[in-house]
Amino acid sequence: MTTDISDFAHGIFKAQPFSMFLGAELTAVGPDSAEIRISNRPEIQQQHGFVHGGVLSYLADNALTFAGGLALGGDALTAEYKINYIKPAVGDVVIARAQATATTRRQAVCQCSIYVASPEGDERLVAVAQGTIVTAGERASQEN
């Protein structure tokens, strides 16, 4: 893996067409953590004006995978994850913050909290997720 974790992570992120389509931004990374943000706009809302659950799910999946992948030292994939929606996502920005909580040689168990933020910077928790992230080589070998 590249010695500069930020350059490595941002390179992977910019290579994701779906993330670019949604207008998502990778705003912070650490050796076992990641933060992704999306500005709220009508195109990502459902019929009640809340950010669509699929967008929250995308944020959870991608933030979990980045946190786990960084903890594992490279390319990774989601093996599974679960999300709990707590409150309707209404705010200017949606923020997903993920952290690896347990890591072995081949997998990382990660947790993610998703918030909405107001223009003043106040944050409100709207969803939580947990997932298992595996090295991409491990997942690929299971498919053969």
Side-chain angles (χ1 to χ4, degrees):
M1 183 168 91
T2 301
T3 55
D4 186 350
I5 236 172
S6 181
D7 288 346
F8 173 77
H10 282 89
I12 297 285
F13 194 80
K14 288 179 182 170
Q16 297 178 341
F18 190 63
S19 293
M20 299 301 97
F21 174 76
L22 287 175
E25 297 177 71
L26 180 63
T27 52
V29 294
D32 61 357
S33 63
E35 178 182 281
I36 301 173
R37 295 176 179 235
I38 293 180
S39 293
N40 189 359
R41 57 192 190 282
E43 297 82 14
I44 66 168
Q45 296 172 3
Q46 45 86 294
Q47 70 276 14
H48 299 292
F50 310 146
V51 174
H52 194 283
V55 175
L56 300 180
S57 186
Y58 151 80
L59 282 166
D61 178 30
N62 214 13
L64 289 165
T65 305
F66 265 90
L70 291 168
L72 292 168
D75 201 12
L77 300 166
T78 303
E80 63 81 29
Y81 78 100
K82 176 194 185 314
I83 187 166
N84 291 94
Y85 301 103
I86 299 167
K87 294 180 182 175
V90 178
D92 286 348
V93 178
V94 187
I95 306 162
R97 293 188 184 110
Q99 178 82 37
T101 58
T103 306
T104 68
R105 189 170 53 88
R106 293 183 290 207
Q107 73 176 19
V109 176
C110 303
Q111 294 178 331
C112 179
S113 297
I114 302 173
Y115 303 87
V116 290
S118 69
E120 297 77 29
D122 297 323
E123 295 182 2
R124 185 170 54 95
L125 184 67
V126 296
V128 293
Q130 179 171 305
T132 304
I133 310 307
V134 297
T135 58
E138 177 70 16
R139 187 67 162 186
S141 68
Q142 291 173 356
E143 293 176 1
N144 294 328

